[in-house]
Amino acid sequence: MGLVLFPGDGDNSSPDVSWSYRGFAAFRRRLAETEGFVLSEMRGFGGERPWSEVSTALEPLLDHPDVGGNDLSPDECASILVRLQAITDQRAREGDDQLLQQHIEHARQLAGVLLLCIEKDVPLAFL
């Protein structure tokens, strides 16, 4: 079982990005660390720290339940995309750790899906 993020355009041929739940958790933990906080300290992830204490364009992605939850709007996709691309560009220069490279590849796939959501003006759906 796992998680798939895809454009909510009803087109089954649209690109998507998928993770195991464990893989998505590791991906989000690394993104949170890049943004300067520990995901496990946040509400909804075992901690008590409120999201209002964190400032990141990635919040809609990081603070989204794995199962259920609302789709992300095209505007949210746009803000996530800008920050995700900046992080990916930065991390790509940092080394060749295999797990890091896997996260970078997933980030690039997600960026492509986000871009399509923005271009088609459709939400990012979670399944």
Side-chain angles (χ1 to χ4, degrees):
M1 293 210 47
L3 180 69
V4 180
L5 280 61
F6 59 96
D9 59 2
D11 181 354
N12 291 337
S13 66
S14 290
D16 59 42
V17 58
S18 61
W19 289 268
S20 66
Y21 287 114
R22 184 177 177 174
F24 188 58
F27 178 75
R28 291 197 296 186
R29 276 194 307 271
R30 188 172 289 235
L31 286 175
E33 288 169 7
T34 300
E35 295 293 81
F37 64 96
V38 178
L39 195 58
S40 63
E41 294 176 355
M42 303 306 295
R43 281 195 185 132
F45 293 90
E48 294 299 321
R49 187 174 181 191
W51 283 93
S52 60
E53 291 183 3
V54 174
S55 177
T56 174
L58 300 177
E59 182 181 343
L61 177 66
L62 297 175
D63 188 25
H64 193 281
D66 291 351
V67 178
N70 295 327
D71 295 341
L72 301 185
S73 72
D75 287 340
E76 289 172 314
C77 291
S79 67
I80 292 167
L81 178 62
V82 171
R83 184 63 188 134
L84 186 64
Q85 287 175 322
I87 290 170
T88 303
D89 291 345
Q90 172 191 350
R91 292 290 189 168
R93 293 186 293 261
E94 290 182 2
D96 57 352
D97 170 78
Q98 187 173 353
L99 184 57
L100 174 61
Q101 293 307 312
Q102 184 179 27
H103 287 297
I104 290 169
E105 179 57 31
H106 276 122
R108 288 182 174 148
Q109 289 174 5
L110 177 57
V113 172
L114 292 168
L115 185 59
L116 187 59
C117 290
I118 295 162
E119 289 172 352
K120 290 186 167 188
D121 196 31
V122 297
L124 177 68
F126 290 65
L127 179 65

